[in-house]
Amino acid sequence: MNFLEERIEKEGIIREGNVLKVDSFLNHQMDIELFEQMGVEFKKRFEGKPINKILTIEASGIGIACIAARHFHAPVVFAKKSKSINIEGEMYVAEVESFTHKCKNHVIVSKKFLTPQDHVLIIDDFLANGCALQGLISIVHESGAALEGIGIAIEKGFQPGGRAIRNLGYPLESLAIIEEMDAKNGTITFRKQI
Ligand code: 5GP
């Protein structure tokens, strides 16, 4: 088991409806030393790629992206959730359905901060059905930037997002991939990674 899998096993709480709570270290209270280890690992997994910008989504991707960004010496842009899209024109817009909140949001990124000259690494905390990621990918494509990779902290491998995105040929790296989790007895099985 790697450092993140160990932490998930120790502190993750499985909720009904395929939700894993990791708010003691990832998305409410944040363990910055763990984020630092994740940053090192993302840098290793995307070594040699000409990444000059990190893109994430509000809110829980931001902390992870910021610590990772130190290793790429790149700024972080986060897609903002917005109920109105009347700022369209100067913004890239995508529609994203939230897995945890079951609602639809528009996410927006200013055209000033993503251009055809950029080489982007997308970072997020979770990958479930892939809706958040598809939104970010569409924004990168619309901007004309090059998508160099996608780094995820926790992928729920039993949900379809990861497979769909790999099938589309995107370089997707998840630090922990959950194969199975059982809310009744609290067990989590991880996919073996080399
Ligand atoms: P997706 O769009 O891939 O279905 O879901 C991705 C987003 O939903 C993530 O950015 C994350 O905020 C949230 N999410 C999905 N599954 C979980 C989960 O099991 N636990 C938590 N805490 N967040 C989740």
Side-chain angles (χ1 to χ4, degrees):
M1 263 200 280
N2 70 26
F3 64 96
L4 182 59
E5 294 165 339
E6 277 172 11
R7 192 65 177 270
I8 295 166
E9 190 171 79
K10 196 160 148 241
E11 289 181 34
I13 298 165
I14 306 162
R15 287 278 155 86
E16 291 299 335
N18 286 333
V19 172
L20 177 68
K21 276 198 84 170
V22 285
D23 57 0
S24 67
F25 61 94
L26 200 83
N27 52 21
H28 192 168
Q29 174 167 263
M30 298 183 282
D31 181 337
I32 300 305
E33 281 177 14
L34 182 86
F35 284 19
E36 174 61 22
Q37 277 180 288
M38 287 164 45
V40 169
E41 186 62 27
F42 283 132
K43 176 70 183 163
K44 205 159 84 191
R45 294 193 189 204
F46 296 104
E47 196 62 71
K49 303 247 180 170
I51 291 157
N52 75 329
K53 201 152 282 187
I54 310 284
L55 177 67
T56 188
I57 185 165
E58 196 175 35
S60 42
I62 296 175
I64 298 167
C66 287
I67 305 295
R70 292 168 58 86
H71 296 271
F72 293 90
H73 305 288
V76 175
V77 177
F78 64 93
K80 293 186 177 210
K81 290 179 182 156
S82 162
K83 290 269 174 249
S84 67
I85 50 163
N86 52 12
I87 37 282
E88 214 175 349
E90 315 97 67
M91 301 279 176
Y92 304 114
V93 183
E95 192 177 62
V96 169
E97 186 167 352
S98 162
F99 175 80
T100 38
H101 300 111
K102 308 282 177 231
C103 64
K104 281 188 183 173
N105 272 307
H106 285 100
V107 295
I108 55 173
V109 171
S110 168
K111 289 187 176 171
K112 277 189 292 195
F113 302 129
L114 215 49
T115 71
Q117 284 72 48
D118 284 322
H119 292 260
V120 178
L121 172 64
I122 293 177
I123 287 198
D124 204 4
D125 60 340
F126 267 92
L127 172 55
N129 292 326
C131 196
L133 216 43
Q134 297 280 8
L136 294 178
I137 291 170
S138 81
I139 284 175
V140 174
H141 287 325
E142 203 189 330
S143 75
L147 180 53
E148 298 290 346
I150 301 166
I152 299 290
I154 306 174
E155 175 180 336
K156 293 188 290 181
F158 53 87
Q159 289 180 254
R163 190 182 314 123
I165 282 160
R166 288 190 183 89
N167 284 346
L168 290 169
Y170 295 111
L172 166 63
E173 292 284 340
S174 300
L175 303 187
I177 304 178
I178 297 175
E179 209 64 275
E180 261 182 296
M181 56 185 202
D182 186 331
K184 280 210 184 65
N185 56 26
T187 52
I188 299 177
T189 314
F190 295 100
R191 187 178 300 170
K192 292 244 175 326
Q193 298 197 60
I194 321 137

